């Protein structure tokens, strides 16, 4: 429907605008509101070269960009009309944030311990479950939530400041349905 197209256009424009305004983000190759599979739309970022290690800044930028769709829906349509369209985005940011906390050593309180793979420890785990305490698990959960919340706030700050760009890009997507990276630049 026209309403779904409009919602998708703002959702995808939200991803793109945040992606264009965070540090160390891969260039945006394309944005579309043509449904494909279970996705109603897509913003595709492609790295300029192979990258084996990723910085803390780049992970934070990826999380903010992923939250951009949800934030755009909220800002344009209101909190009561936000959809479940951000479910895969939320899954993605949760996975990134959890890896940042449990595998990459990006949380000072937890040090440089791999909490994600400790149940597959050297001697095996005969008791099942993880080898860390409930207190450690709470720190992990709190840190994951804090990282995702920070990305959400960054997306909200960018989309509030760049509200005109968000509207312009959403209109461009409604009109043309698919825009390349250079066309997005021209639209803005």
């Amino acid at each position: 429907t026209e309403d779904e197209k409009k919602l998708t256009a703002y959702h995808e424009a939200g991803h793109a605008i945040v992606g264009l305004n965070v540090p160390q983000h891969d260039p945006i190759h394309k944005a579309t509101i043509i449904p494909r599979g279970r996705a109603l739309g897509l913003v595709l970022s492609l790295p300029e070269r192979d990258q084996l290690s990723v910085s803390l800044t780049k992970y934070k930028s990826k999380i903010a960009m992923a939250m951009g769709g949800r934030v755009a829906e909220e800002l344009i349509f209101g909190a009561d009309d936000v959809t479940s369209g951000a479910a895969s985005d939320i899954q993605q940011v949760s996975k990134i944030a959890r890896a940042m906390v449990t595998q990459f050593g990006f949380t000072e309180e937890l040090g440089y311990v791999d909490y994600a793979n400790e149940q597959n420890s050297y001697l095996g785990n005969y008791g099942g479950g993880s080898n860390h305490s409930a207190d450690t698990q709470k720190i992990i959960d709190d840190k994951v939530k804090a990282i995702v919340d920070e990305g959400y706030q960054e997306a909200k700050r960018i989309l509030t400041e760049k509200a005109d760009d968000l509207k312009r890009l959403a209109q461009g997507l409604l009109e043309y349905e698919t825009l390349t990276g250079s066309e997005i630049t021209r639209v803005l």
Side-chain angles (χ1 to χ4, degrees):
T1 67
E2 286 308 306
D3 284 349
E4 286 171 325
K5 273 175 84 169
K6 184 177 178 186
L7 187 108
T8 302
Y10 274 99
H11 184 103
E12 300 308 332
H15 285 309
I17 298 299
V18 174
L20 290 167
N21 288 282
V22 288
Q24 295 183 17
H25 199 276
D26 294 327
I28 292 180
H29 180 66
K30 164 174 119 169
T32 184
I33 59 168
I34 297 173
R36 186 168 283 137
R38 295 181 61 202
L40 293 173
L42 169 79
V43 172
L44 183 63
S45 301
L46 295 174
E48 293 172 300
R49 58 184 163 71
D50 287 344
Q51 193 169 25
L52 298 173
S53 59
V54 179
S55 71
L56 173 63
T57 299
K58 187 162 189 170
Y59 278 124
K60 286 181 171 185
S61 292
K62 283 174 175 276
I63 289 171
M65 180 187 172
M67 294 307 293
R70 166 71 184 238
V71 170
E73 286 186 31
E74 218 172 88
L75 292 174
I76 300 300
F77 304 103
D80 290 341
D81 288 319
V82 166
T83 69
S84 61
S88 66
D89 300 329
I90 290 169
Q91 233 173 8
Q92 180 190 3
V93 300
S94 299
K95 199 179 280 185
I96 292 169
R98 190 159 300 279
M100 289 169 69
V101 171
T102 63
Q103 291 176 272
F104 304 156
F106 288 158
T107 304
E108 213 174 289
E109 296 93 314
L110 296 171
Y112 308 108
V113 175
D114 183 346
Y115 291 96
N117 295 308
E118 68 177 8
Q119 57 263 45
N120 305 324
S121 68
Y122 171 67
L123 296 173
N125 184 5
Y126 300 105
S130 70
N131 293 337
H132 53 262
S133 69
D135 290 345
T136 301
Q137 187 60 50
K138 177 157 179 32
I139 293 170
I140 291 169
D141 293 341
D142 289 349
K143 289 294 174 183
V144 168
K145 184 177 182 321
I147 290 169
V148 173
D149 288 349
E150 184 185 327
Y152 171 89
Q153 291 303 329
E154 179 64 2
K156 195 169 198 171
R157 181 190 67 74
I158 290 167
L159 293 176
T160 301
E161 286 175 11
K162 305 277 183 182
D164 291 345
D165 287 353
L166 175 64
K167 287 186 175 95
R168 206 172 298 125
L169 184 52
Q171 291 307 314
L173 285 169
L174 283 168
E175 192 171 333
Y176 297 102
E177 293 188 329
T178 299
L179 297 169
T180 65
S182 56
E183 289 169 339
I184 290 169
T185 305
R186 272 198 308 249
V187 166
L188 297 178

